[in-house]
Amino acid sequence: DVKVTQSSRYLVKRTGEKVFLECVQDMDHENMFWYRQDPGLGLRLIYFSYDVKMKEKGDIPEGYSVSREKKERFSLILESASTNQTSMYLCASSFFLAGGSGANVLTFGAGSRLTVL
Amino acid sequence: GNSVTQMEGPVTLSEEAFLTINCTYTATGYPSLFWYVQYPGEGLQLLLKATKADDKGSNKGFEATYRKETTSFHLEKGSVQVSDSAVYFCALSDRSSASKIIFGSGTRLSIRP
């Protein structure tokens, strides 16, 4: 029944390392998201993708990049990890029709907790 | 711009108590409203939703009504259980774009046996 899978639940990396967080969904959703979750700050959108090879910056894109080469896979990349990127990272996907009557329901993965030392 | 404000936690209740978690929003147009729940060690999952004014979303004994006049979407449950201990997020989705989703800061709920 698992629909959004994040490849790593826990990662520990060193400052300056390149980090890849992988996310795969099996629901054929067009939209995929990467959020960062920090205590007291809720969820903040890092990047959003609405189609293969298409992406939009979210609220906090600095220090991150993304890749979506296939519809089901959305990767978050930290080019040079820093300690202030220690956080919980959540991937989500959705099907959404702009202006339609349906709701934009997100399906989330279990999260990847990254610690940068 | 759009925003969501929900009551700060943590909230601690005894089992079988009545629960209310307040959520208010500001938005242009007619957004959809959601409550998501995050159990320990897991990602968020949809608890309930409402897509238009006066709609009531309900699931697992939880309810919330979309009140346009008060711009609110308060979460309620008549009798909480220990298993309801989790973090609850109120969220708003703009109809114009899939990416325009705003989350509240979350309310941690702990239920004592």
Side-chain angles (χ1 to χ4, degrees):
Chain A
D1 191 43
V2 175
K3 296 180 170 60
V4 178
T5 303
Q6 294 184 230
S7 57
S8 304
R9 291 297 303 272
Y10 300 95
L11 304 93
V12 180
K13 299 292 182 181
R14 297 206 174 273
T15 300
E17 281 193 78
K18 191 168 185 175
V19 181
F20 293 87
L21 299 179
E22 306 285 343
C23 175
V24 177
Q25 53 97 1
D26 64 1
M27 295 167 288
D28 201 35
H29 285 168
E30 281 76 17
N31 306 310
M32 296 189 75
F33 306 76
W34 274 107
Y35 286 93
R36 172 175 171 160
Q37 182 181 13
D38 298 290
L41 297 177
L43 275 69
R44 294 179 290 169
L45 181 65
I46 305 172
Y47 266 98
F48 162 67
S49 170
Y50 52 93
D51 202 349
V52 174
K53 298 189 187 296
M54 307 305 287
K55 61 186 179 185
E56 282 183 8
K57 292 181 179 179
D59 301 317
I60 52 165
E62 297 78 18
Y64 303 94
S65 62
V66 290
S67 172
R68 191 163 181 204
E69 297 296 319
K70 293 185 177 181
K71 189 176 185 179
E72 67 271 18
R73 187 179 298 271
F74 193 35
S75 303
L76 180 69
I77 303 153
L78 287 68
E79 295 290 342
S80 177
S82 63
T83 54
N84 63 12
Q85 292 178 310
T86 292
S87 187
M88 170 71 88
Y89 291 88
L90 294 171
C91 176
S93 71
S94 79
F95 169 76
F96 175 78
L97 187 62
S101 58
N104 186 19
V105 176
L106 299 181
T107 301
F108 284 86
S112 299
R113 184 167 293 284
L114 172 67
T115 300
V116 182
L117 302 175
Chain B
N2 296 344
S3 68
V4 172
T5 302
Q6 64 180 101
M7 66 187 284
E8 290 190 20
V11 174
T12 303
L13 297 172
S14 297
E15 206 165 19
E16 300 183 1
F18 184 86
L19 168 71
T20 300
I21 300 178
N22 290 336
C23 173
T24 57
Y25 68 91
T26 58
T28 55
Y30 301 92
S32 297
L33 300 173
F34 308 84
W35 279 100
Y36 285 86
V37 59
Q38 185 178 34
Y39 298 104
E42 298 182 14
L44 280 71
Q45 57 186 270
L46 178 70
L47 180 60
L48 53 82
K49 63 178 169 62
T51 59
K52 61 183 187 297
D54 299 326
D55 265 3
K56 177 186 283 188
S58 61
N59 186 25
K60 299 182 180 180
F62 291 88
E63 293 183 339
T65 301
Y66 189 151
R67 301 283 189 202
K68 197 169 192 312
E69 63 276 13
T70 55
T71 62
S72 65
F73 193 55
H74 304 320
L75 182 68
E76 296 182 337
K77 186 174 185 182
S79 176
V80 293
Q81 306 299 313
V82 172
S83 58
D84 294 327
S85 298
V87 181
Y88 292 81
F89 291 89
C90 185
L92 172 160
S93 174
D94 190 303
R95 293 179 190 279
S96 66
S97 168
S99 65
K100 294 191 189 311
I101 304 168
I102 307 296
F103 286 86
S105 57
T107 302
R108 182 174 297 278
L109 173 67
S110 295
I111 307 300
R112 294 187 299 249

mmCIF file of all heavy atoms in Angstrom, chain A residues 41-69:
data_model
loop_
_atom_site.group_PDB
_atom_site.id
_atom_site.type_symbol
_atom_site.label_atom_id
_atom_site.label_comp_id
_atom_site.label_asym_id
_atom_site.label_seq_id
_atom_site.Cartn_x
_atom_site.Cartn_y
_atom_site.Cartn_z
ATOM 1 N N LEU A 41 8.264 25.698 12.806
ATOM 2 C CA LEU A 41 8.206 26.367 11.501
ATOM 3 C C LEU A 41 7.260 25.671 10.529
ATOM 4 O O LEU A 41 7.066 26.147 9.410
ATOM 5 C CB LEU A 41 9.606 26.444 10.886
ATOM 6 C CG LEU A 41 10.624 27.259 11.670
ATOM 7 C CD1 LEU A 41 11.985 27.203 10.992
ATOM 8 C CD2 LEU A 41 10.161 28.717 11.813
ATOM 9 N N GLY A 42 6.705 24.552 10.922
ATOM 10 C CA GLY A 42 5.811 23.840 10.024
ATOM 11 C C GLY A 42 6.566 23.267 8.845
ATOM 12 O O GLY A 42 7.740 22.908 8.948
ATOM 13 N N LEU A 43 5.896 23.200 7.707
ATOM 14 C CA LEU A 43 6.508 22.697 6.482
ATOM 15 C C LEU A 43 6.804 23.861 5.550
ATOM 16 O O LEU A 43 5.940 24.706 5.314
ATOM 17 C CB LEU A 43 5.556 21.726 5.768
ATOM 18 C CG LEU A 43 5.580 20.279 6.228
ATOM 19 C CD1 LEU A 43 5.011 20.134 7.617
ATOM 20 C CD2 LEU A 43 4.816 19.410 5.239
ATOM 21 N N ARG A 44 8.001 23.864 5.032
ATOM 22 C CA ARG A 44 8.394 24.902 4.069
ATOM 23 C C ARG A 44 8.774 24.239 2.749
ATOM 24 O O ARG A 44 9.559 23.292 2.726
ATOM 25 C CB ARG A 44 9.558 25.720 4.620
ATOM 26 C CG ARG A 44 9.190 26.554 5.849
ATOM 27 C CD ARG A 44 10.381 27.333 6.366
ATOM 28 N NE ARG A 44 11.387 26.459 6.962
ATOM 29 C CZ ARG A 44 12.600 26.850 7.297
ATOM 30 N NH1 ARG A 44 12.976 28.105 7.101
ATOM 31 N NH2 ARG A 44 13.447 26.001 7.839
ATOM 32 N N LEU A 45 8.222 24.770 1.672
ATOM 33 C CA LEU A 45 8.431 24.179 0.355
ATOM 34 C C LEU A 45 9.809 24.553 -0.177
ATOM 35 O O LEU A 45 10.157 25.737 -0.262
ATOM 36 C CB LEU A 45 7.341 24.661 -0.606
ATOM 37 C CG LEU A 45 7.401 24.102 -2.019
ATOM 38 C CD1 LEU A 45 7.172 22.597 -2.016
ATOM 39 C CD2 LEU A 45 6.356 24.800 -2.900
ATOM 40 N N ILE A 46 10.563 23.541 -0.573
ATOM 41 C CA ILE A 46 11.887 23.766 -1.145
ATOM 42 C C ILE A 46 11.782 23.873 -2.664
ATOM 43 O O ILE A 46 12.204 24.852 -3.275
ATOM 44 C CB ILE A 46 12.859 22.635 -0.763
ATOM 45 C CG1 ILE A 46 12.922 22.459 0.749
ATOM 46 C CG2 ILE A 46 14.255 22.915 -1.320
ATOM 47 C CD1 ILE A 46 13.705 21.228 1.186
ATOM 48 N N TYR A 47 11.212 22.824 -3.277
ATOM 49 C CA TYR A 47 11.022 22.783 -4.727
ATOM 50 C C TYR A 47 9.764 22.019 -5.047
ATOM 51 O O TYR A 47 9.336 21.138 -4.294
ATOM 52 C CB TYR A 47 12.207 22.092 -5.426
ATOM 53 C CG TYR A 47 13.291 23.020 -5.910
ATOM 54 C CD1 TYR A 47 14.446 23.214 -5.155
ATOM 55 C CD2 TYR A 47 13.165 23.690 -7.126
ATOM 56 C CE1 TYR A 47 15.452 24.059 -5.606
ATOM 57 C CE2 TYR A 47 14.172 24.541 -7.576
ATOM 58 C CZ TYR A 47 15.311 24.719 -6.808
ATOM 59 O OH TYR A 47 16.309 25.555 -7.249
ATOM 60 N N PHE A 48 9.232 22.324 -6.188
ATOM 61 C CA PHE A 48 8.021 21.700 -6.697
ATOM 62 C C PHE A 48 8.258 21.324 -8.163
ATOM 63 O O PHE A 48 8.929 22.064 -8.888
ATOM 64 C CB PHE A 48 6.876 22.695 -6.557
ATOM 65 C CG PHE A 48 5.670 22.409 -7.394
ATOM 66 C CD1 PHE A 48 4.884 21.301 -7.144
ATOM 67 C CD2 PHE A 48 5.305 23.261 -8.424
ATOM 68 C CE1 PHE A 48 3.770 21.034 -7.905
ATOM 69 C CE2 PHE A 48 4.183 23.006 -9.197
ATOM 70 C CZ PHE A 48 3.417 21.890 -8.937
ATOM 71 N N SER A 49 7.716 20.195 -8.575
ATOM 72 C CA SER A 49 7.805 19.798 -9.982
ATOM 73 C C SER A 49 6.418 19.418 -10.470
ATOM 74 O O SER A 49 5.712 18.641 -9.823
ATOM 75 C CB SER A 49 8.753 18.607 -10.138
ATOM 76 O OG SER A 49 8.669 18.082 -11.443
ATOM 77 N N TYR A 50 6.022 19.976 -11.614
ATOM 78 C CA TYR A 50 4.693 19.702 -12.145
ATOM 79 C C TYR A 50 4.734 18.800 -13.378
ATOM 80 O O TYR A 50 3.684 18.493 -13.964
ATOM 81 C CB TYR A 50 3.949 21.003 -12.465
ATOM 82 C CG TYR A 50 4.714 21.958 -13.341
ATOM 83 C CD1 TYR A 50 4.557 21.951 -14.724
ATOM 84 C CD2 TYR A 50 5.600 22.870 -12.782
ATOM 85 C CE1 TYR A 50 5.255 22.836 -15.520
ATOM 86 C CE2 TYR A 50 6.312 23.757 -13.581
ATOM 87 C CZ TYR A 50 6.131 23.733 -14.950
ATOM 88 O OH TYR A 50 6.833 24.607 -15.740
ATOM 89 N N ASP A 51 5.924 18.392 -13.771
ATOM 90 C CA ASP A 51 6.045 17.485 -14.921
ATOM 91 C C ASP A 51 7.500 17.043 -15.002
ATOM 92 O O ASP A 51 8.389 17.659 -14.380
ATOM 93 C CB ASP A 51 5.613 18.191 -16.202
ATOM 94 C CG ASP A 51 5.207 17.222 -17.313
ATOM 95 O OD1 ASP A 51 5.452 15.994 -17.159
ATOM 96 O OD2 ASP A 51 4.655 17.675 -18.321
ATOM 97 N N VAL A 52 7.753 16.056 -15.816
ATOM 98 C CA VAL A 52 9.125 15.596 -16.012
ATOM 99 C C VAL A 52 9.974 16.767 -16.505
ATOM 100 O O VAL A 52 9.563 17.515 -17.394
ATOM 101 C CB VAL A 52 9.164 14.442 -17.022
ATOM 102 C CG1 VAL A 52 10.601 14.065 -17.347
ATOM 103 C CG2 VAL A 52 8.398 13.247 -16.483
ATOM 104 N N LYS A 53 11.122 16.939 -15.895
ATOM 105 C CA LYS A 53 12.092 17.982 -16.209
ATOM 106 C C LYS A 53 11.599 19.392 -15.915
ATOM 107 O O LYS A 53 12.297 20.364 -16.207
ATOM 108 C CB LYS A 53 12.550 17.900 -17.677
ATOM 109 C CG LYS A 53 13.244 16.595 -18.024
ATOM 110 C CD LYS A 53 13.858 16.660 -19.411
ATOM 111 C CE LYS A 53 14.406 15.304 -19.860
ATOM 112 N NZ LYS A 53 15.521 14.852 -19.020
ATOM 113 N N MET A 54 10.429 19.551 -15.334
ATOM 114 C CA MET A 54 9.904 20.868 -15.002
ATOM 115 C C MET A 54 9.973 21.064 -13.488
ATOM 116 O O MET A 54 9.653 20.136 -12.729
ATOM 117 C CB MET A 54 8.467 21.021 -15.484
ATOM 118 C CG MET A 54 8.259 20.710 -16.952
ATOM 119 S SD MET A 54 9.315 21.668 -18.041
ATOM 120 C CE MET A 54 8.550 23.264 -17.913
ATOM 121 N N LYS A 55 10.339 22.261 -13.064
ATOM 122 C CA LYS A 55 10.452 22.529 -11.645
ATOM 123 C C LYS A 55 10.197 23.999 -11.372
ATOM 124 O O LYS A 55 10.345 24.849 -12.246
ATOM 125 C CB LYS A 55 11.846 22.149 -11.135
ATOM 126 C CG LYS A 55 12.962 22.941 -11.810
ATOM 127 C CD LYS A 55 14.325 22.446 -11.409
ATOM 128 C CE LYS A 55 15.410 23.250 -12.126
ATOM 129 N NZ LYS A 55 16.773 22.729 -11.868
ATOM 130 N N GLU A 56 9.824 24.256 -10.136
ATOM 131 C CA GLU A 56 9.646 25.632 -9.656
ATOM 132 C C GLU A 56 10.298 25.749 -8.293
ATOM 133 O O GLU A 56 10.207 24.828 -7.482
ATOM 134 C CB GLU A 56 8.153 25.963 -9.466
ATOM 135 C CG GLU A 56 7.389 26.269 -10.715
ATOM 136 C CD GLU A 56 5.947 26.651 -10.404
ATOM 137 O OE1 GLU A 56 5.600 26.813 -9.220
ATOM 138 O OE2 GLU A 56 5.171 26.756 -11.369
ATOM 139 N N LYS A 57 10.926 26.881 -8.046
ATOM 140 C CA LYS A 57 11.469 27.126 -6.713
ATOM 141 C C LYS A 57 10.322 27.348 -5.748
ATOM 142 O O LYS A 57 9.312 27.965 -6.076
ATOM 143 C CB LYS A 57 12.374 28.354 -6.736
ATOM 144 C CG LYS A 57 13.651 28.155 -7.522
ATOM 145 C CD LYS A 57 14.500 29.404 -7.485
ATOM 146 C CE LYS A 57 15.795 29.185 -8.263
ATOM 147 N NZ LYS A 57 16.649 30.409 -8.259
ATOM 148 N N GLY A 58 10.543 26.847 -4.547
ATOM 149 C CA GLY A 58 9.589 27.090 -3.486
ATOM 150 C C GLY A 58 10.031 28.270 -2.636
ATOM 151 O O GLY A 58 10.649 29.210 -3.126
ATOM 152 N N ASP A 59 9.733 28.179 -1.348
ATOM 153 C CA ASP A 59 10.035 29.299 -0.449
ATOM 154 C C ASP A 59 11.498 29.352 -0.015
ATOM 155 O O ASP A 59 12.009 30.424 0.297
ATOM 156 C CB ASP A 59 9.149 29.201 0.797
ATOM 157 C CG ASP A 59 7.671 29.238 0.442
ATOM 158 O OD1 ASP A 59 7.298 30.057 -0.415
ATOM 159 O OD2 ASP A 59 6.902 28.443 1.018
ATOM 160 N N ILE A 60 12.150 28.199 0.027
ATOM 161 C CA ILE A 60 13.533 28.161 0.541
ATOM 162 C C ILE A 60 14.431 27.308 -0.356
ATOM 163 O O ILE A 60 14.991 26.307 0.072
ATOM 164 C CB ILE A 60 13.569 27.628 2.001
ATOM 165 C CG1 ILE A 60 12.821 26.296 2.115
ATOM 166 C CG2 ILE A 60 12.976 28.641 2.975
ATOM 167 C CD1 ILE A 60 13.117 25.556 3.399
ATOM 168 N N PRO A 61 14.648 27.682 -1.624
ATOM 169 C CA PRO A 61 15.433 26.851 -2.533
ATOM 170 C C PRO A 61 16.945 26.969 -2.394
ATOM 171 O O PRO A 61 17.685 26.143 -2.933
ATOM 172 C CB PRO A 61 14.998 27.383 -3.898
ATOM 173 C CG PRO A 61 14.702 28.826 -3.636
ATOM 174 C CD PRO A 61 14.106 28.879 -2.253
ATOM 175 N N GLU A 62 17.405 27.975 -1.655
ATOM 176 C CA GLU A 62 18.845 28.227 -1.596
ATOM 177 C C GLU A 62 19.577 27.041 -0.989
ATOM 178 O O GLU A 62 19.226 26.552 0.079
ATOM 179 C CB GLU A 62 19.131 29.493 -0.768
ATOM 180 C CG GLU A 62 18.563 30.773 -1.357
ATOM 181 C CD GLU A 62 17.074 30.929 -1.127
ATOM 182 O OE1 GLU A 62 16.530 30.234 -0.235
ATOM 183 O OE2 GLU A 62 16.447 31.728 -1.856
ATOM 184 N N GLY A 63 20.618 26.606 -1.679
ATOM 185 C CA GLY A 63 21.417 25.483 -1.194
ATOM 186 C C GLY A 63 20.924 24.125 -1.658
ATOM 187 O O GLY A 63 21.540 23.103 -1.335
ATOM 188 N N TYR A 64 19.833 24.124 -2.422
ATOM 189 C CA TYR A 64 19.237 22.878 -2.893
ATOM 190 C C TYR A 64 19.055 22.922 -4.412
ATOM 191 O O TYR A 64 18.901 23.981 -4.998
ATOM 192 C CB TYR A 64 17.860 22.655 -2.258
ATOM 193 C CG TYR A 64 17.832 22.636 -0.758
ATOM 194 C CD1 TYR A 64 17.547 23.804 -0.043
ATOM 195 C CD2 TYR A 64 18.071 21.468 -0.047
ATOM 196 C CE1 TYR A 64 17.507 23.795 1.331
ATOM 197 C CE2 TYR A 64 18.024 21.457 1.336
ATOM 198 C CZ TYR A 64 17.747 22.634 2.016
ATOM 199 O OH TYR A 64 17.712 22.620 3.379
ATOM 200 N N SER A 65 19.039 21.751 -5.025
ATOM 201 C CA SER A 65 18.607 21.610 -6.406
ATOM 202 C C SER A 65 17.792 20.327 -6.493
ATOM 203 O O SER A 65 17.771 19.529 -5.546
ATOM 204 C CB SER A 65 19.787 21.575 -7.376
ATOM 205 O OG SER A 65 20.619 20.462 -7.102
ATOM 206 N N VAL A 66 17.108 20.142 -7.611
ATOM 207 C CA VAL A 66 16.267 18.958 -7.780
ATOM 208 C C VAL A 66 16.444 18.391 -9.180
ATOM 209 O O VAL A 66 16.937 19.058 -10.088
ATOM 210 C CB VAL A 66 14.771 19.267 -7.540
ATOM 211 C CG1 VAL A 66 14.490 19.563 -6.069
ATOM 212 C CG2 VAL A 66 14.296 20.402 -8.440
ATOM 213 N N SER A 67 15.998 17.154 -9.315
ATOM 214 C CA SER A 67 16.034 16.478 -10.609
ATOM 215 C C SER A 67 14.791 15.628 -10.751
ATOM 216 O O SER A 67 14.433 14.889 -9.829
ATOM 217 C CB SER A 67 17.282 15.598 -10.698
ATOM 218 O OG SER A 67 17.249 14.795 -11.859
ATOM 219 N N ARG A 68 14.151 15.764 -11.921
ATOM 220 C CA ARG A 68 13.017 14.888 -12.209
ATOM 221 C C ARG A 68 13.149 14.409 -13.655
ATOM 222 O O ARG A 68 12.624 15.019 -14.575
ATOM 223 C CB ARG A 68 11.694 15.598 -11.982
ATOM 224 C CG ARG A 68 10.532 14.609 -12.008
ATOM 225 C CD ARG A 68 9.313 15.171 -11.408
ATOM 226 N NE ARG A 68 8.220 14.223 -11.416
ATOM 227 C CZ ARG A 68 6.950 14.577 -11.370
ATOM 228 N NH1 ARG A 68 6.623 15.863 -11.336
ATOM 229 N NH2 ARG A 68 5.999 13.665 -11.375
ATOM 230 N N GLU A 69 13.825 13.315 -13.828
ATOM 231 C CA GLU A 69 14.051 12.728 -15.143
ATOM 232 C C GLU A 69 12.940 11.764 -15.543
ATOM 233 O O GLU A 69 12.709 11.524 -16.727
ATOM 234 C CB GLU A 69 15.399 12.005 -15.162
ATOM 235 C CG GLU A 69 16.591 12.931 -14.926
ATOM 236 C CD GLU A 69 16.735 13.951 -16.041
ATOM 237 O OE1 GLU A 69 16.558 13.581 -17.213
ATOM 238 O OE2 GLU A 69 17.015 15.133 -15.732
#
